[in-house]
């Protein structure tokens, strides 16, 4: 039997979550050791005997047995999960309790518990995202560093610090206390949203890596939706937004390996199944009275997804959706996206006016697509020389070869005086987090 | 046909789950291929990294591990091949080589009594 893709990575998250529930959050490192040990065992045995029928169950059973060993050997020397009290101390209760904690339903709750714990208010958003990727999604420090196009040392520092905060919190987040769940949920939404955006708009030049980040965010959002307290309109809206945007991933890089904007994409490559799934989720999100930024962004995404030709896009509606978004969740990035929509609707001069009017636009100074947008609009109103300077500025800020290549091609277009292509695109919302970081 | 044993040394415990899965899949594929070509006499076993060494007339017992991690034999397989050079060729497909490990290829003496 062939293991499904990323089986080990996925199981790593499930095992750490289950083990931390038993050992206690302060023994996170011990839980990670047990997981590594289970993988080593699987490696050794499977090498010689081939894959078992149910590899997930095999790994879980190995982790469970190892956990029992550790509990028996170290129960006098260490304290384990305070929530479990004395249940782990007696042989009468130890095995049945551990057995129960490794049941599939229990593990699902453990994932949720860990997800909420990672979104600890003492952690910065980028640390929360890194921690989720590391603990719940099983990415190593180097894999995260490479996905974020960051240095290994920087990510290692971020994760080590975050783990310290996590391990220092007295216990895992309790998902059974409704008031706490509801209060922490927006932070969890935000972290998943940023995780998705890191994949969708992020700096990694490898489209496979980016798609993986998007899929991890979608998988965790699905875990939220399975919990009665998690299945609220905002979660549906967030999931809808992810599906609708992820549907476009296959078209974002064109046949020659270049970044392809929303306007140039071959829309036949869009994943119809994901579009339909997204639209269905968007419908579910429409109950209730709360209107979140995810609702509005999902609505914007659906306005694109349901149109087969870029020229038929309903820009007036999109501009008004951006107005709503600015009202409930203002940021310079949202304002820039709004200006792009205005430019599509009323022409490049109006778009440039709107950009001029963005108050805190200096916060966009390190973001390559800010000068790139200025360049596109200048080019479109027939000023290729001004446009070229903007693209040059964008080139200096480019974060990876794909972006560099994209801006270089735009500079060539300016030199040729051809303004027919219109590669403006909706821009990452995650810049607020990245801004100011090298 | 002659018989050989492959002794495997080296393991990479610092790999990420993704790398370990890839590595494991390579092993499974390599083993499958050897099996399909009729080279596997006995798949063998992985060996625990711990154990004891009993030595000399005094029968002194030492704790393992006996050497540096990279020098510990952590598994064996019995192979059938035409001759030593074919067995060596077969061992070159072993994924352990990619993580800096080694395969020791030893002909098994056949005892004709």
């Amino acid at each position: 039997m062939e293991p499904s893709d990323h089986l080990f990575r996925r199981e790593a998250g499930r095992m750490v979550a289950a083990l931390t529930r038993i050992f206690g959050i302060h023994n996170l490192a011990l839980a990670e050791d047990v997981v590594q040990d289970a993988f080593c065992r699987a490696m050794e045995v499977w090498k010689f005997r081939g894959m078992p029928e149910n590899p997930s169950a095999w790994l879980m059973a190995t982790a469970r047995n190892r956990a029992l060993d550790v509990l028996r050997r170290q129960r006098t020397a260490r304290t384990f999960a305070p929530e479990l009290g004395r249940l782990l101390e007696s042989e009468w209760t130890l095995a049945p309790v551990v057995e129960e904690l490794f049941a599939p339903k229990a593990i699902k709750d453990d994932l949720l518990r860990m997800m909420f714990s990672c979104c600890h208010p003492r952690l910065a958003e980028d640390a929360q995202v890194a921690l989720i990727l590391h603990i719940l999604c099983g990415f190593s420090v180097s894999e995260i560093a490479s996905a974020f196009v960051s240095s290994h040392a920087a990510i290692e520092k971020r994760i080590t610090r975050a783990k310290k905060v996590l391990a220092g919190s007295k216990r895992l987040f309790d998902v059974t206390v409704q008031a706490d769940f509801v209060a922490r949920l927006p932070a969890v939404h935000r972290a998943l949203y940023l995780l998705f955006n890191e994949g969708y708009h992020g700096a990694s030049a490898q489209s496979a890596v980016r798609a993986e980040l998007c899929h991890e965010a979608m998988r965790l959002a699905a875990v939220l939706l399975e919990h009665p307290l998690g299945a609220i309109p905002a979660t549906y809206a967030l999931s809808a937004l992810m599906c609708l945007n992820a549907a476009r991933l296959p078209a974002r890089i064109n046949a020659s390996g270049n970044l392809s904007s929303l306007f140039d994409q071959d829309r036949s490559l869009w994943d119809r199944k994901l579009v339909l799934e997204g639209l269905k989720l968007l419908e579910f999100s429409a109950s209730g009275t709360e209107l979140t930024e995810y609702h509005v962004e999902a609505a914007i995404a659906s306005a694109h997804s349901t149109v087969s030709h870029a020229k038929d896009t309903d820009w007036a509606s999109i501009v008004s959706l951006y107005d709503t978004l600015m009202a409930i969740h203002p940021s310079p990035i949202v304002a820039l996206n709004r200006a792009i929509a205005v430019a599509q609707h009323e022409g490049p001069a109006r778009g440039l006016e709107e950009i001029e009017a963005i108050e805190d636009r200096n916060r966009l100074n390190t973001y390559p697509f800010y000068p790139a947008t200025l360049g596109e609009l200048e080019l479109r109103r027939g000023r290729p020389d001004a446009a070229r300077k903007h693209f040059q500025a964008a080139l200096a800020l480019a974060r990876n070869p794909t972006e560099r290549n994209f801006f270089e091609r735009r500079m060539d277009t300016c030199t040729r005086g051809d303004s027919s292509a219109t590669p403006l695109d909706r821009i990452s919302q995650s810049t607020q987090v990245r801004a100011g970081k090298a | 046909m002659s018989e050989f044993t492959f002794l495997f040394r080296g393991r990479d415990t610092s790999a990420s789950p993704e790398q370990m899965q890839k590595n494991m899949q390579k092993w499974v594929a390599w083993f499958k291929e050897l099996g399909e070509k009729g080279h596997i006499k006995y798949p063998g076993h992985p060996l625990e990294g711990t154990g004891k060494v009993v030595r000399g007339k005094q029968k002194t017992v030492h704790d393992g591990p006996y050497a540096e991690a990279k020098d510990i034999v952590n598994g064996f397989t019995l192979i059938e091949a035409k001759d030593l050079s074919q067995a060596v060729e077969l061992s070159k497909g072993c994924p352990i080589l990619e993580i800096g490990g080694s395969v020791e290829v030893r002909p098994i003496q056949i005892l004709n009594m």
Side-chain angles (χ1 to χ4, degrees):
Chain A
M1 178 186 155
E2 275 294 297
S4 59
D5 274 354
H6 316 306
L7 170 87
F8 276 32
R9 214 157 55 50
R10 298 262 155 89
E11 293 303 322
R14 281 157 45 85
M15 288 192 282
V16 169
L19 289 163
T20 324
R21 166 96 172 107
I22 297 170
F23 293 160
I25 186 72
H26 57 290
N27 286 317
L28 176 62
L30 177 66
E32 290 183 314
D33 285 348
V34 170
V35 170
Q36 194 66 14
D37 192 72
F39 284 136
C40 286
R41 256 161 218 282
M43 280 280 290
E44 294 308 325
V45 177
W46 298 0
K47 268 179 198 175
F48 290 90
R49 295 285 172 267
M51 293 280 292
E53 273 293 303
N54 186 342
S56 304
W58 195 102
L59 283 168
M60 274 300 163
T62 307
R64 188 192 59 215
N65 293 336
R66 184 83 186 98
L68 279 170
D69 277 355
V70 169
L71 290 165
R72 286 195 178 113
R73 253 188 297 125
Q74 305 194 18
R75 65 185 153 203
T76 47
R78 257 186 215 261
T79 53
F80 294 104
E83 301 92 322
L84 300 175
R86 311 190 68 93
L87 290 174
L88 301 177
E89 287 174 21
S90 149
E91 273 303 315
W92 290 104
T93 44
L94 177 64
V97 165
V98 169
E99 181 80 25
E100 205 180 300
L101 289 170
F102 269 93
K105 165 77 178 74
I107 291 175
K108 220 171 249 175
D109 283 351
D110 292 334
L111 280 177
L112 214 54
R113 224 174 247 116
M114 186 54 94
M115 210 191 304
F116 277 66
S117 300
C118 287
C119 297
H120 197 285
R122 273 189 54 207
L123 293 174
E125 283 173 343
D126 55 3
Q128 296 175 2
V129 173
L131 207 51
I132 288 176
L133 277 174
H134 184 57
I135 296 182
L136 279 176
C137 309
F139 285 97
S140 69
V141 169
S142 343
E143 286 161 349
I144 297 173
S146 115
F148 285 15
V149 194
S150 188
S151 76
H152 185 280
I155 295 291
E156 185 159 53
K157 201 164 142 194
R158 191 183 303 173
I159 289 178
T160 311
R161 273 191 192 158
K163 273 190 192 169
K164 223 175 250 170
V165 170
L166 191 62
S169 56
K170 285 208 175 61
R171 50 181 64 198
L172 278 167
F173 186 88
D174 187 349
V175 289
T176 60
V177 180
Q178 184 166 355
D180 292 351
F181 192 106
V182 172
R184 180 74 62 96
L185 188 54
V188 176
H189 284 152
R190 177 80 189 157
L192 297 187
Y193 174 78
L194 293 175
L195 171 54
F196 183 87
N197 272 355
E198 191 64 54
Y200 194 68
H201 296 285
S204 171
Q206 282 173 281
S207 52
V209 172
R210 297 170 47 144
E212 264 182 53
L213 296 184
C214 290
H215 290 141
E216 287 304 316
M218 292 165 77
R219 183 172 71 88
L220 295 175
V223 173
L224 269 186
L225 281 179
E226 283 179 34
H227 192 277
L229 290 174
I232 64 165
T235 315
Y236 281 110
L238 176 62
S239 300
L241 162 66
M242 290 179 183
C243 283
L244 291 169
N245 282 334
R248 293 189 218 132
L249 280 173
R252 270 179 73 84
I253 303 287
N254 67 16
S256 31
N258 292 318
L259 204 57
S260 183
S261 87
L262 185 51
F263 304 96
D264 300 331
Q265 284 173 15
D266 176 356
R267 297 189 174 205
S268 68
L269 294 175
W270 289 0
D271 185 333
R272 294 305 304 167
K273 229 177 93 191
L274 272 178
V275 170
L276 292 175
E277 174 74 14
L279 293 174
K280 197 178 81 193
L281 288 162
L282 189 58
E283 244 173 74
F284 285 134
S285 79
S287 66
T289 52
E290 193 195 16
L291 183 70
T292 64
E293 63 266 36
Y294 312 118
H295 284 91
V296 186
E297 281 204 45
I300 293 169
S302 83
H304 291 300
S305 302
T306 47
V307 175
S308 329
H309 300 284
K311 63 176 173 41
D312 300 330
T313 311
D314 179 359
W315 289 107
S317 307
I318 291 175
V319 170
S320 90
L321 285 167
Y322 274 116
D323 288 338
T324 312
L325 194 53
M326 277 305 281
I328 61 174
H329 195 81
S331 82
I333 294 282
V334 174
L336 185 61
N337 278 310
R338 186 183 162 278
I340 293 171
V342 169
Q344 290 300 130
H345 188 45
E346 300 176 48
R350 279 283 299 118
L352 286 164
E353 272 174 40
E354 292 290 342
I355 294 176
E356 277 293 307
I358 301 174
E359 274 176 24
D360 42 1
R361 65 176 189 280
N362 60 336
R363 282 175 56 199
L364 298 170
N365 282 345
T366 56
Y367 188 55
F369 285 94
Y370 169 54
T373 305
L374 295 173
E376 292 302 338
L377 297 181
E378 289 293 0
L379 186 61
R380 263 195 258 167
R381 68 167 180 176
R383 295 181 181 171
D385 290 343
R388 195 170 187 283
K389 282 190 190 117
H390 288 304
F391 286 124
Q392 193 140 30
L395 186 61
L397 295 171
R399 298 164 299 181
N400 61 55
T402 314
E403 285 182 359
R404 257 191 296 284
N405 183 276
F406 182 72
F407 299 136
E408 273 165 5
R409 282 186 303 133
R410 295 313 289 157
M411 285 174 69
D412 289 349
T413 310
C414 296
T415 317
R416 288 201 312 271
D418 161 26
S419 63
S420 56
T422 54
L424 280 185
D425 201 343
R426 193 183 152 275
I427 286 168
S428 167
Q429 305 285 318
S430 59
T431 303
Q432 298 99 308
V433 186
R434 315 192 117 259
K437 279 202 316 254
Chain B
M1 277 299 189
S2 306
E3 290 177 22
F4 300 85
T5 164
F6 282 0
L7 300 173
F8 305 109
R9 285 187 176 84
R11 62 162 56 116
D12 188 1
T13 50
S14 62
S16 73
E18 191 77 0
Q19 291 165 325
M20 291 185 90
Q21 177 171 345
K22 289 207 172 115
N23 194 354
M24 193 272 301
Q25 278 164 310
K26 281 187 204 155
W27 267 90
V28 173
W30 178 59
F31 241 74
K32 200 166 152 238
E33 199 195 327
L34 286 180
E36 281 167 0
K37 291 186 179 160
H39 290 299
I40 292 190
K41 173 82 179 172
Y42 175 66
H45 284 279
L47 299 175
E48 294 283 356
T50 56
K52 303 278 183 190
V53 177
V54 185
R55 184 171 282 138
K57 275 189 192 150
Q58 305 300 318
K59 296 174 187 166
T60 47
V61 179
H62 298 273
D63 279 340
Y66 333 103
E68 281 187 60
K70 67 174 174 49
D71 297 326
I72 296 173
V73 174
N74 53 39
F76 69 92
T77 293
L78 296 191
I79 293 290
E80 273 188 328
K82 216 165 60 230
D83 50 29
L84 182 61
S85 71
Q86 191 194 21
V88 166
E89 276 315 303
L90 295 174
S91 77
K92 286 182 181 170
C94 181
I96 210 161
L97 302 172
E98 287 168 40
I99 57 159
S102 68
V103 184
E104 187 175 319
V105 184
R106 302 281 296 270
I108 290 177
Q109 284 195 27
I110 304 297
L111 305 176
N112 293 317
M113 312 283 269

